[in-house]
Amino acid sequence: MKRFVLVMMAALIGMPSAVLAHAHLIRSTPQDGSEISASIDAMVLYFTEALEQRLINVALSRDDKAVSGLSQPVLSGNRRTVNVSLPHLSAGLHTVSWSVVSIDGHRTEGKFKFLYRGP
């Protein structure tokens, strides 16, 4: 039994980290906590791992009310960048809620906020 445990530990240590990884948001445009005065027509979310296109969800709310008219999320060629076209935004505090599934099957989710002051 002791030998089995040692073999399993060695196997896990030798596994590539991507196999055990989750897709985490590393940055976004707009950025979390930013204040924007210029017109904004798209959001871009950058992740640490490749994603499953059909399992990407991005929602936007302003002052706790859903914003409609977002495009379907579009995954870039590297499968780590998500683009979402936006409708005309009204001024206010916006919250982006996202959930994704990486290609290894792990689901992650999160939120970030930005203040849109309008053009």
Side-chain angles (χ1 to χ4, degrees):
M1 181 68 166
K2 188 175 181 180
R3 181 181 168 134
F4 174 75
V5 171
L6 290 174
V7 169
M8 291 305 294
M9 286 177 59
L12 287 174
I13 290 170
M15 292 178 81
S17 61
V19 173
L20 302 174
H22 290 41
H24 296 284
L25 184 68
I26 52 177
R27 71 180 190 276
S28 64
T29 303
Q31 295 178 351
D32 185 22
S34 63
E35 292 186 23
I36 302 168
S37 301
S39 180
I40 177 173
D41 59 1
M43 290 188 299
V44 184
L45 288 71
Y46 302 89
F47 291 89
T48 57
E49 303 296 326
L51 306 174
E52 289 286 350
Q53 171 69 56
R54 60 186 168 72
L55 300 174
I56 300 169
N57 293 299
V58 179
L60 181 66
S61 61
R62 180 182 59 84
D63 301 326
D64 293 326
K65 294 182 182 164
V67 173
S68 61
L70 276 66
S71 72
Q72 290 294 320
V74 176
L75 196 55
S76 69
N78 70 5
R79 301 189 66 160
R80 295 179 182 200
T81 305
V82 177
N83 296 282
V84 179
S85 295
L86 299 173
H88 175 75
L89 297 181
S90 300
L93 181 63
H94 289 74
T95 302
V96 178
S97 301
W98 58 268
S99 67
V100 297
V101 175
S102 58
I103 60 171
D104 63 4
H106 292 113
R107 182 176 187 271
T108 54
E109 61 185 42
K111 293 181 181 184
F112 64 91
K113 296 181 180 197
F114 64 93
L115 180 62
Y116 180 62
R117 296 198 181 277

